[in-house]
Amino acid sequence: MEFLLLEWVGKPVWMWAGFLSVVAALLAFDLGVLNRDNREMGIGESLWLSAFYIGFAMIFGGAIWWAYESGILATEDGTHAGITFFTGFFIEKALSVDNVFVISLIFGYFAIPRRFQYRALVWGIVAVIVLRGIMIGAGAALVQEHGWVLFFFGAFLIITGIKMLVVPESDPDVSKNPVVRFMKRHMRVSGELHDQKFFVRIPDGKTGKLVLAATPLFLALVVINIADLVFAVDSVPAIFAITTDTFIVYTANIMAILGLRALYFALAAMVHRFEYLKYALALVLVFIGGKIFWNGIVGKLDPAISLGVTLALIAGGVVFSLWKTRGQTQEAPASGT
């Protein structure tokens, strides 16, 4: 068992194995117990499950904080592991609200019933664990080899934040998505859903033989994961601007996304209530991006200040949005299948 003590990406193998085992257990619980039968998750259940995931993330973050203070866990860049974990977690959580809106549009376009949506989301997180790991690993390698990349991340975050402040937001048109067009052109797709199946065998229109075909649920799953990669282009540089420790970056990302899948059914019904949150998030991105230049030119900013400013901006955006949009209702997305 000596290999567990070996270092992999800056941390002992046992830390990575322990974290991934916890994530695997949570996903098995989701798929094997909570979503064993086809049923629609209610808002109440969604909120309770979300509270569980958020509580679990808080406990995990507290354990990281304790491990750092106890000398068990050291960060690659010397930042406080607990503070940077919670800062990254809250930023990722807030940035994911827009992701919920896009996911609801995708499910609406493919006419996916609510009772099938949760299973697709849970399988989606499996892909996210791998894809985010690849992106974060590549980002960490770049930062380690070329320190100036952090300044590129900072400039990118500032430009993105300013763009969010000044450019009007428009709803994405799923039907014009190049991934959707490519799959419909190059894949055999069944015209209807088949319960929770991603692939089914259907008669070929010419030969009459049974052939394998993807279902609309699979197409929705693929498009959702592509959308997640697009959103990761903002969130991954944002957390690298806080810490370059790969373990903290990855665990904060995954912990935030795990809970998002549960919170989706509550947020999807009221995502329109967070209309002004994007301005708060824009300010967070500008602040985090500017912090990189401050650290490089003036001196290292106290991580506690970063956490405090981040929480204040996000909380202010949430409260202001709920106050300004009280009494509003949301229109259902149109189906495109």
Side-chain angles (χ1 to χ4, degrees):
M1 303 294 287
E2 292 183 359
F3 77 94
L4 293 175
L5 300 177
L6 299 176
E7 281 201 1
W8 186 68
V9 197
K11 292 293 181 292
V13 171
W14 68 264
M15 283 191 182
W16 290 103
F19 174 71
L20 293 176
S21 296
V22 168
V23 172
L26 290 173
L27 291 175
F29 176 71
D30 258 345
L31 286 171
V33 178
L34 298 178
N35 201 55
R36 182 171 48 191
D37 302 318
N38 295 342
R39 62 184 180 84
E40 180 178 332
M41 178 178 287
I43 293 178
E45 183 181 358
S46 172
L47 291 174
W48 277 110
L49 188 57
S50 299
F52 164 77
Y53 274 113
I54 293 173
F56 190 90
M58 295 298 100
I59 294 172
F60 183 83
I64 286 181
W65 194 304
W66 172 83
Y68 177 81
E69 294 287 349
S70 303
I72 300 173
L73 175 64
T75 55
E76 299 171 22
D77 56 358
T79 55
H80 192 293
I83 294 177
T84 51
F85 172 86
F86 283 115
T87 305
F89 173 82
F90 288 120
I91 289 176
E92 176 64 38
K93 202 74 171 177
L95 286 172
S96 296
V97 173
D98 278 345
N99 205 352
V100 169
F101 173 67
V102 173
I103 290 173
S104 66
L105 287 178
I106 293 170
F107 278 141
Y109 175 78
F110 289 105
I112 307 298
R114 287 175 64 88
R115 66 181 184 276
F116 298 147
Q117 291 177 7
Y118 190 74
R119 189 173 184 84
L121 291 172
V122 175
W123 278 111
I125 190 61
V126 176
V128 168
I129 290 171
V130 177
L131 296 174
R132 286 289 176 103
I134 294 172
M135 290 188 68
I136 290 171
L142 278 174
V143 170
Q144 187 175 8
E145 292 293 327
H146 309 285
W148 56 265
V149 171
L150 277 178
F151 292 100
F152 173 80
F153 285 170
F156 174 77
L157 292 174
I158 292 173
I159 293 171
T160 301
I162 294 174
K163 181 180 177 182
M164 290 173 64
L165 286 172
V166 300
V167 178
E169 192 174 19
S170 58
D171 296 346
D173 188 346
V174 181
S175 64
K176 295 180 180 179
N177 187 296
V179 178
V180 174
R181 292 182 173 181
F182 178 85
M183 289 192 298
K184 287 188 173 183
R185 188 178 300 116
H186 295 89
M187 291 181 64
R188 187 178 287 106
V189 181
S190 65
E192 58 186 14
L193 289 168
H194 295 263
D195 292 330
Q196 299 186 83
K197 296 179 180 179
F198 293 124
F199 293 93
V200 292
R201 291 194 174 275
I202 60 175
D204 183 85
K206 296 180 179 179
T207 65
K209 295 181 179 180
L210 292 178
V211 292
L212 191 66
T215 67
L217 186 62
F218 177 76
L219 268 61
L221 175 64
V222 172
V223 177
I224 285 172
N225 278 283
I226 296 296
D228 181 81
L229 282 178
V230 174
F231 279 96
V233 172
D234 288 339
S235 64
V236 171
I239 195 170
F240 266 117
I242 299 165
T243 177
T244 56
D245 187 279
T246 310
F247 184 77
I248 301 300
V249 172
Y250 186 68
T251 54
N253 256 262
I254 299 305
M255 278 294 173
I257 295 171
L258 277 174
L260 175 68
R261 269 30 184 191
L263 190 58
Y264 166 78
F265 292 96
L267 284 180
M270 56 181 297
V271 70
H272 62 289
R273 297 290 309 278
F274 297 95
E275 179 180 352
Y276 297 93
L277 178 59
K278 77 166 189 173
Y279 299 109
L281 293 176
L283 294 176
V284 169
L285 293 181
V286 172
F287 169 73
I288 296 299
K291 186 173 76 73
I292 293 179
F293 292 95
W294 179 276
N295 289 346
I297 299 172
V298 180
K300 193 170 184 179
L301 187 68
D302 189 342
I305 296 178
S306 295
L307 177 59
V309 172
T310 299
L311 286 177
L313 288 172
I314 293 174
V318 169
V319 172
F320 184 75
S321 292
L322 293 176
W323 176 68
K324 287 289 289 185
T325 60
R326 60 192 183 280
Q328 290 186 12
T329 58
Q330 182 183 28
E331 296 181 0
S335 170
T337 57

